[in-house]
Amino acid sequence: MAEVARVLYERDQVRRRVAELGRAIATDLAGREPVLVTVLKGGAMFLADLMRAVDLPVEIHLMAISRYGGAEESLGRVQILLDVDADLAGRDVLLIEDIVDTGLTSRYLLSALRARGAASVELCTLLDKVARRIVPVHPRYVGFECPDAFLVGYGLDFQERYRNVPDILQVTDLPALRADPDLLRAHLPSAA
Ligand code: IMP
Ligand code: MG
């Protein structure tokens, strides 16, 4: 059967990289109590692993957004459905993203967070798809600079599928997956 996807970053590689990011964050913010803010749903798995790797007292908050279609989309404006319910004034805020693609979403969220009087607001993304950038966004922490391809697994979905796959896969035949969104199920590495 033709290949639909292949493993790009396997689970142990992700685990090691997340541990490194956690240590870097703990070193940079030593003595502080950072606020980790993640965007649902894609960032949930990364946050869960990263927070255990940051040896500091941290606070976590979740945001949920929905993207507008049409002309609004190109401006990157998003509707905030679930917001941070804490005062961020004077805090060190880290926006935790699964992936930065065009940069539109992160740019919007960073400016929304910066408007709240935080002492610092930085971006930490597991994956950085630099080739696709439309607006300049420069994450302070990057797990992997990834190729310009569609990725699934470790929180990333295709039509709400595959978020629970422990590895990060690169889809090599997107038209085939569009034709049958469940096609990848037969090709997944085992969860064990
Ligand atoms: P941006 O505003 O274009 O940077 O969009 C970032 C969002 O698009 C991410 O938070 C993901 O939800 C989604 N996204 C971008 N690239 C991928 C991908 O390769 N796989 C799955 N979702 C993606
Ligand atoms: Mg998605």
Side-chain angles (χ1 to χ4, degrees), residues 3 11 16 31 50 74 124 140 145 189:
E3 180 190 80
R11 62 199 77 181
R16 285 194 298 271
L50 182 68
S74 58
C124 171
R140 172 84 184 260
E145 273 194 18

Side-chain angles (χ1 to χ4, degrees), residues 67 97-106 129 132 149-152 156-157:
R67 294 181 179 83
E97 286 266 31
D98 48 358
I99 188 165
V100 179
D101 186 35
T102 64
L104 286 165
T105 312
S106 303
K129 215 189 272 185
R132 292 254 311 160
F150 196 82
L151 311 183
V152 296
L156 295 165
D157 73 305

Side-chain angles (χ1 to χ4, degrees), residues 71-126:
E72 295 278 337
E73 191 175 2
S74 58
L75 302 173
R77 280 193 51 213
V78 300
Q79 187 184 0
I80 295 178
L81 304 175
L82 173 69
D83 206 348
V84 175
D85 60 350
D87 182 7
L88 296 180
R91 305 298 303 270
D92 295 287
V93 177
L94 261 183
L95 178 63
I96 310 297
E97 286 266 31
D98 48 358
I99 188 165
V100 179
D101 186 35
T102 64
L104 286 165
T105 312
S106 303
R107 184 183 63 166
Y108 182 84
L109 292 174
L110 287 169
S111 68
L113 291 168
R114 287 196 173 112
R116 298 177 191 185
S120 67
V121 180
E122 297 284 355
L123 175 61
C124 171
T125 186
L126 179 64

Side-chain angles (χ1 to χ4, degrees), residues 8-19:
L8 184 61
Y9 308 112
E10 53 91 24
R11 62 199 77 181
D12 285 337
Q13 197 179 352
V14 175
R15 188 177 44 73
R16 285 194 298 271
R17 189 67 190 117
V18 172

